[in-house]
Amino acid sequence: MNEIILLKLGELVLKGLNRRTFEDRLIANARRRLQAHGKFKVYTKQSTMYVEPQDDSCDLDGAWEAMKRLFGVVGLSRARACEKDADAMLQTAIEYLGDKLSAAHTFKVESKRADKSFPMTSIQLSQYVGGELDEKYPNLKVDVRHPELTVHLEVRDYAAYVHADPEPGAGGLPVGVGGRAVSLLSGGIDSPVASWMIAKRGIALDMVHFFSYPYTSEEAKQKVLDLAKILTPWCGRLTVHVVPFTAIQEELRRRCPEELFTVLMRRFMMRIAEQVAQRCGAGAIVTGESLGQVASQTMDAMRATTAVTTLPILRPVVGMDKEEIVRIARKIGTFETSILPYEDCCTVFTPRHPRLHPMLGELEAAEAALDVDGLVAAAVDGIERIRV
């Protein structure tokens, strides 16, 4: 029988009567990710999802990499299917895991018997196959507590499956099961991590990027698009809404106190993000704000920016320090792109002495000198939508 991929489902198995909805979404997400790698049959049974190639042209290595980034899966294994017979499982273990068995020094066999009609208990099956492998491989010693290699045998409805230790999956919930949000994506380290973290909780995303040409370059814009592309294997296909932000920033610089510039700019971003959210059916705004990291991320500043929108603001990295955020950025592959030396709209117009604790009254007074609605409408009308 062919090699297949077994995916262990995560917290969605605890969803009770709603579980089928979560599983259907996970299957649909898996099928979309697998389309580029051939024709696969995808189905779930007994808290396991099966990814089974339908012909020899399937790219199982590519499918494996895609499934490692599938939210909703806590563990995955490449496995070989065989008949539900103890000797067949033994022979499959020797053929399929022979290199690993020859290289290891300690091992154990762990069996699961989902098909209760199988004549041996899980313990009996493990003892039989383990004893035979111990005889065949003199380099191996049984260690049931801390083995170097675990041979897994699973007797299920359709067949038996043999595999080695599973690798960790992406975890979380299937993307899309929790609704949709818009995420403010800059060229920095934090916002891609925030987007990844909220997608992990089952949220489908549209990206919003504020672009201040000619103060920021086309290379800076391309950097953000590259970050979005890096996120797509985790989040699914993304649309980046590129907002022309130059006119707003120039108007702020002309008419408003410099020390309030950053917070006023953030308030405009929230207003525009809310408009984008309404257009694409999103129910929240995601930001990469981390409490106290910069002047616009104090509690008073966050309160001031939140005040201009009725949508919830999701800040998944708000309690994390930079080292923790960088660690995730390296894990998901965005760090090296995020540190490329192209400035975004926030860094270009940074005031020399930003106000750390702005008051709502003074911000509203400063905005009274502006045509807020007109500036927002013009920016929204000029949005460029790029699918990555």
Side-chain angles (χ1 to χ4, degrees):
M1 296 186 182
N2 289 332
E3 187 179 22
I4 69 169
I5 300 173
L6 301 179
L7 307 176
K8 301 299 182 182
L9 308 188
E11 61 186 277
L12 62 88
V13 302
L14 306 174
K15 296 302 179 182
L17 297 177
N18 293 324
R19 175 173 170 175
R20 188 69 244 175
T21 300
F22 285 77
E23 288 187 354
D24 288 346
R25 175 68 70 168
L26 181 63
I27 290 172
N29 291 348
R31 285 173 176 162
R32 279 195 295 272
R33 309 286 177 86
L34 291 166
Q35 285 177 352
H37 307 290
K39 185 177 180 182
F40 291 84
K41 182 180 179 182
V42 183
Y43 53 97
T44 60
K45 191 74 173 179
Q46 297 170 322
S47 301
T48 299
M49 189 162 77
Y50 298 78
V51 175
E52 184 177 331
Q54 296 299 285
D55 55 56
D56 292 338
S57 67
C58 291
D59 176 11
L60 200 65
D61 291 336
W64 172 259
E65 292 301 317
M67 294 301 94
K68 285 169 67 175
R69 293 168 174 79
L70 183 67
F71 288 129
V73 173
V74 294
L76 62 168
S77 306
R78 291 176 73 145
R80 176 72 58 82
C82 65
E83 296 178 7
K84 292 190 284 185
D85 174 82
D87 289 324
M89 283 182 266
L90 170 62
Q91 188 59 35
T92 301
I94 294 170
E95 294 174 358
Y96 186 57
L97 303 177
D99 291 343
K100 289 183 171 64
L101 289 164
S102 298
H105 298 92
T106 60
F107 86 113
K108 74 172 181 178
V109 176
E110 191 171 288
S111 302
K112 292 183 179 179
R113 188 175 59 111
D115 179 2
K116 301 305 181 184
S117 67
F118 187 73
M120 301 173 72
T121 67
S122 296
I123 293 175
Q124 289 171 337
L125 179 59
S126 293
Q127 288 175 338
Y128 172 71
V129 174
E132 294 295 317
L133 292 176
D134 190 41
E135 287 286 332
K136 182 173 179 60
Y137 293 91
N139 57 295
L140 287 175
K141 179 182 178 181
V142 175
D143 182 349
V144 297
R145 294 185 181 274
H146 304 289
E148 187 177 337
L149 173 68
T150 301
V151 176
H152 293 266
L153 310 176
E154 300 190 30
V155 184
R156 296 186 170 271
D157 286 357
Y158 305 112
Y161 301 93
V162 178
H163 61 89
D165 296 303
E167 290 192 19
L173 296 171
V175 170
V177 79
R180 179 171 292 275
V182 295
S183 185
L184 275 56
L185 184 65
S186 72
I189 297 171
D190 302 344
S191 60
V193 170
S195 301
W196 179 86
M197 291 179 68
I198 214 68
K200 187 176 180 179
R201 298 312 304 157
I203 305 299
L205 295 174
D206 276 73
M207 301 303 194
V208 179
H209 175 64
F210 296 91
F211 183 52
S212 297
Y213 185 82
Y215 301 104
T216 53
S217 65
E218 286 294 332
E219 288 84 0
K221 175 181 171 182
Q222 185 59 50
K223 171 184 172 180
V224 171
L225 297 178
D226 290 342
L227 286 169
K229 289 177 183 178
I230 294 170
L231 290 171
T232 56
W234 305 93
C235 304
R237 291 290 302 277
L238 296 170
T239 298
V240 182
H241 302 256
V242 181
V243 181
F245 207 52
T246 307
I248 290 174
Q249 290 183 301
E250 289 180 338
E251 190 72 359
L252 287 172
R253 187 167 58 181
R254 277 195 298 267
R255 298 180 178 273
C256 297
E258 182 187 357
E259 66 270 16
L260 298 179
F261 186 87
T262 301
V263 180
L264 291 170
M265 181 178 64
R266 295 289 295 180
R267 282 163 64 90
F268 271 97
M269 289 180 175
M270 293 299 173
R271 293 181 177 107
I272 294 167
E274 184 175 52
Q275 297 266 331
V276 176
Q278 291 172 356
R279 290 186 173 190
C280 61
I285 299 170
V286 182
T287 79
E289 293 167 295
S290 174
L291 189 62
Q293 188 176 126
V294 295
S296 65
Q297 295 175 13
T298 64
M299 284 197 294
D300 290 333
M302 288 184 187
R303 176 171 174 261
T305 57
T306 302
V308 299
T309 177
T310 59
L311 291 179
I313 310 299
L314 307 179
R315 299 179 171 99
V317 302
V318 70
M320 300 172 67
D321 62 31
K322 201 67 176 184
E323 184 177 342
E324 292 171 310
I325 297 170
V326 166
R327 189 181 306 124
I328 296 175
R330 291 185 185 278
K331 171 186 173 181
I332 65 178
T334 57
F335 179 76
E336 295 299 329
T337 301
S338 290
I339 62 174
L340 292 175
Y342 303 119
E343 294 181 310
D344 61 26
C345 68
C346 295
T347 55
V348 170
F349 285 85
T350 301
R352 289 168 293 180
H353 303 290
R355 183 74 59 82
L356 298 180
H357 304 288
M359 304 296 291
L360 275 176
E362 64 179 340
L363 293 168
E364 291 167 353
E367 288 174 345
L370 306 170
D371 178 12
V372 172
D373 292 341
L375 289 168
V376 170
V380 171
D381 288 344
I383 287 175
E384 178 187 10
R385 293 167 185 82
I386 302 174
R387 187 79 165 162
V388 299

